Amino acid sequence: MRALYISEKDISKLNECLKQLDKEEETKSILFLMADADHYSGKELTPLLNCCSKPILGGIFPELIFEGKRKERGILLLPLSFELKTLVFDLSEDVDLLQDQLSEVHEDSMNSMSSLFVFIDSLAEKKSRFIARLFNSFGVNTTYIGGGTGSSSFEKIDCIISNQGLHANSAVIGWGNKKMSIGVSHGWHAFSDILKVTETDEKVVKTLNWKPAFEIYKEIVESHSGLKLTTDNFSKIAQSYPIGIEKLDDEMVVRDLLRCCNNELHLFDPIQEGEYVKILNGDINSLLGGASIARECALSELDEGMTQDSIFCIDCISRVLFMKESYSKELEIISKNKKVCGVMAIGEIANEGDSYLEVYNMTIALGIW
């Protein structure tokens, strides 16, 4: 996997780089990944993107990863040796219209062993419904990898990138006839009894086991941590105690907690009413162990035709904030004898084997093609 990193904000240099990639016969498609800090505007980027004949897809992310190192600024271009059929979805549209668009793309797919990149505005209201529609259209034979785009400040920005320019409240996919090996893990461990989610409102969990959600969560966390949990220190303590959704035969899907209010738990991504969950806990070592597992899983499914020296990484910005200075150890684990490039996303998108497509929090997803 080739990777081109442009550190300084130089529109002329970026333009020349895109023109060169557009001329290359070996480059069939381009992943365009841009850091939020000092990012280009749509007015600046659109003319460059419009002029490129190769399919482009990507987004704006809190940070980038280049050669195993964090990059808070710049642009990462990943030339791909296989062609992608790309499509942008306006998530303000009716979901049924999105289904029609997905059907058009899928009708062109004759290869059951295929892969799909997906980048989605992390603040899009219909994110979960779109992911469900995506999986229903492409099914279990397709391998998926991608992540949530946007700013770590959670301000709404135009953060989806395609040949047409920058888009807000949107998603972009790129489907290709290329098998991919995936590894997904997180390192969080369940310690509580099973809890039933008995009342929700989108991203707000109102009750667990028919009791106020915060009261149940507070009792469990205080008993385990020995700390007093309040609305003032909630964010600091809750980052060590995410919620895990029970899934048959799969690793738990992690949900990051944002705040508590009126005895309710506010999450970054939704949990469906009727789901069964547990409270999770972890530390630096357990998360590093999760990174090692993700790497092993990705490497265990390699085929001869796949790149043997590179790994594409979608890591969660919440892991970075939780691990702080120790995050460099996670990149070292993933990068051992491999070239690692990717992004720090706001939510990770992947499926493991023939499992359901999920949006994860505080998780790491690795892809090799």
Side-chain angles (χ1 to χ4, degrees), residues 20-206:
Q20 180 59 40
L21 292 177
D22 205 24
K23 294 177 182 177
E24 294 178 356
E25 290 187 10
E26 64 270 26
T27 296
K28 306 300 183 183
S29 309
I30 303 168
L31 295 185
F32 192 118
L33 312 171
M34 182 162 54
D36 176 41
D38 298 329
H39 67 261
Y40 290 101
S41 67
K43 183 178 181 180
E44 292 172 303
L45 272 186
T46 299
L48 280 63
L49 297 168
N50 289 169
C51 289
C52 188
S53 65
K54 305 291 175 67
I56 292 177
L57 76 158
I60 297 174
F61 298 88
E63 294 185 26
L64 307 175
I65 302 169
F66 176 63
E67 295 184 346
K69 304 294 183 183
R70 290 176 62 180
K71 299 295 181 181
E72 297 181 0
R73 288 174 167 76
I75 292 176
L76 183 62
L77 301 175
L78 302 182
L80 304 178
S81 60
F82 48 96
E83 186 173 353
L84 295 175
K85 182 175 179 61
T86 62
L87 194 60
V88 177
F89 300 84
D90 181 353
L91 298 186
S92 63
E93 296 280 357
D94 184 86
V95 174
D96 291 334
L97 296 178
L98 301 183
Q99 183 63 55
D100 292 340
Q101 285 182 276
L102 286 167
S103 297
E104 291 177 11
V105 178
H106 191 254
E107 285 175 355
D108 292 337
S109 167
M110 300 300 293
N111 186 353
S112 62
M113 299 304 293
S114 61
S115 295
L116 191 144
F117 294 95
V118 52
F119 301 111
I120 188 167
D121 186 336
S122 62
L123 297 180
E125 291 297 326
K126 298 177 183 177
K127 178 169 61 175
S128 297
R129 280 178 281 175
F130 172 75
I131 294 298
R133 294 281 186 172
L134 191 64
F135 184 75
N136 289 338
S137 292
F138 285 87
V140 296
N141 287 327
T142 297
T143 301
Y144 309 76
I145 192 167
T149 63
S151 170
S152 55
S153 68
F154 299 127
E155 295 179 4
K156 290 188 177 182
I157 60 172
D158 295 353
C159 53
I160 292 296
I161 296 173
S162 75
N163 292 81
Q164 289 74 49
L166 266 65
H167 314 266
N169 195 39
S170 301
V172 63
I173 65 171
W175 178 90
N177 283 314
K178 179 68 174 178
K179 188 176 180 181
M180 190 182 300
S181 179
I182 297 290
V184 181
S185 189
H186 49 69
W188 301 97
H189 303 299
F191 70 91
S192 75
D193 293 333
I194 294 178
L195 304 167
K196 185 173 183 178
V197 180
T198 45
E199 186 180 2
T200 66
D201 181 9
E202 291 293 331
K203 301 175 185 179
V204 179
V205 178
K206 295 187 173 184

Side-chain angles (χ1 to χ4, degrees), residues 199-319:
E199 186 180 2
T200 66
D201 181 9
E202 291 293 331
K203 301 175 185 179
V204 179
V205 178
K206 295 187 173 184
T207 64
L208 295 168
N209 290 350
W210 296 274
K211 297 179 180 179
F214 177 63
E215 289 184 7
I216 297 293
Y217 180 81
K218 172 182 168 71
E219 181 181 351
I220 293 171
V221 171
E222 287 185 347
S223 177
H224 185 270
S225 67
L227 301 171
K228 185 73 173 177
L229 183 62
T230 68
T231 54
D232 292 332
N233 65 12
F234 180 83
S235 297
K236 183 176 181 181
I237 295 177
Q239 68 176 343
S240 299
Y241 290 93
I243 292 177
I245 306 172
E246 288 269 281
K247 296 293 180 181
L248 291 175
D249 301 323
D250 287 324
E251 191 167 19
M252 283 190 167
V253 176
V254 182
R255 284 290 174 264
D256 205 354
L257 292 97
L258 293 178
R259 62 184 180 277
C260 63
C261 183
N262 299 325
N263 261 338
E264 300 168 341
L265 297 174
H266 292 242
L267 314 180
F268 189 77
D269 281 308
I271 295 178
Q272 298 301 316
E273 197 168 294
E275 295 270 23
Y276 290 92
V277 301
K278 290 181 178 179
I279 308 303
L280 311 180
N281 182 240
D283 56 22
I284 300 299
N285 289 331
S286 69
L287 267 65
L288 293 177
S292 181
I293 291 171
R295 186 181 191 274
E296 291 172 6
C297 290
L299 293 176
S300 68
E301 300 296 328
L302 290 185
D303 285 351
E304 288 185 6
M306 295 181 182
T307 302
Q308 302 293 314
D309 65 346
S310 301
I311 297 177
F312 181 60
C313 177
I314 303 282
D315 211 343
C316 186
I317 190 63
S318 292
R319 291 175 71 90

